[in-house]
Every structure is written in structure tokens, then in C-alpha cells.
Amino acid sequence: SGRRGGAVMDRTSRLDSAFRSPRLRRRARKLGLGEKKKKKSAKTVTLSQVPGITAPADGKLKGWALDVGDGSARLCAATAGGRLRVLASDCSRCNWELEKGDVRVFDDGPAVVCALCGQAYDLASGEPGAVVEREGFDKWVSGLARGAPTTKPARPQDVVRGEAREGNVFLDLSA
């Protein structure tokens, strides 16, 4: 048996000292040689029914203003592929209301596109995507919005977990 600092090393500490790189430690764990990684406990999410609101039709957007705790929250909801998706309402790039935009389906899934600046946000994750080019008058307005000094780089939108069941809307309002 090996010694470290005068004390006898057990099998786990010998292996951990022998496998200093993360890759080798993972391989040792797979072989049952090192200490096991602790599993993270799953977070339980409670969805609350929100009276007085209805889910939008498939492919459409709807805006909601909800009183939550001491303040209020403005949310943009879309139904895509039969699933309710809910994001923060204001575009992180130009502060325009996303519910005035439209739902588009891209290769990586459905997204909401801001009517003013054309910024697209993934409905599942809230991550900003490409800027969508508009046509005609909308293109002119979108160009003005992108050139405005108040336009910021797009940030991910906050996502709220939601479900629509039997005409009722349930949201996770804990965050």
C-alpha cells in the first residue's frame, strides 16, 4: 500500500492520485475503480392554473399580462405543434412586444420573430437566432429599428414552462 503524508492511502485515494486527468477519472469510474459521481436530484415543477386566459391557436401568438406576487409579468405565448410555449414578452433587442410578431418554423424548430427588428427567438429555449429579413414596408421599418441607437444585441428570452389542458392554461410561476 502507498503512503501519503505518513498516512496509509486507501484504494480510492490511490486511484484518484493515479488518475489526475478528468478523462482518466471518468474511465476509472466506468470500470468501477474510482468514487461514484452523485446523481443530481430532479427538480419538481408545479404548474398552476391561470384563470381567465386561453391558449393561442396553433401557429398564432398571444400576449398575457399577469399579476405575480408584488409585480406583474408580460408574457408572449405561442402554440406550435400542439405544445404551448411561453416567453418573456419584450424583445431583448428592441423592447417591442413579441406577440405582435409571427411564428415561423425553421430547421431547428419553431421560433417567434419580432415584428419590429426581425430578431427570431427559439420557442423552446428562448435563444436568439437569425434576423429575419422582411419585405416591402415591413423591411423599411425593420431597417429603421435595427439602425436605431437603442437597439442592443439580442439576449436569450426568459422561458416559462406551460401546458394547455382541456382549454385551461397551466404555468410554472415559481421563478
Side-chain angles (χ1 to χ4, degrees), residues 65-163:
L66 304 174
D67 292 327
V68 181
D70 295 334
S72 64
R74 289 192 36 226
L75 302 172
C76 170
T79 304
R83 292 192 61 190
L84 178 67
R85 308 291 186 155
V86 184
L87 301 173
S89 177
D90 294 335
C91 174
S92 67
R93 188 168 182 206
C94 69
N95 288 332
W96 193 254
E97 298 154 345
L98 287 176
E99 64 266 16
K100 292 183 179 175
D102 56 325
V103 176
R104 303 247 178 124
V105 179
F106 296 105
D107 291 338
D108 55 349
V112 60
V113 178
C114 177
L116 186 60
C117 69
Q119 179 65 53
Y121 296 95
D122 184 87
L123 281 171
S125 66
E127 290 293 322
V131 175
V132 176
E133 289 297 324
R134 305 267 185 191
E135 298 296 322
F137 181 74
D138 290 340
K139 181 177 183 175
W140 180 76
V141 171
S142 183
L144 286 177
R146 272 185 255 151
T150 57
T151 302
K152 306 171 286 230
R155 297 180 321 277
Q157 293 292 103
D158 292 330
V159 177
V160 177
R161 182 162 179 236
E163 291 179 9

Side-chain angles (χ1 to χ4, degrees), residues 9-10 25 31 41 50 53 73 83 117 120 135 137 140 143 146 159 166 168:
M9 293 174 49
D10 64 351
R25 277 197 302 269
L31 295 171
S41 61
V50 183
I53 62 173
R83 292 192 61 190
C117 69
E135 298 296 322
F137 181 74
W140 180 76
R146 272 185 255 151
V159 177
E166 300 171 7
N168 298 314

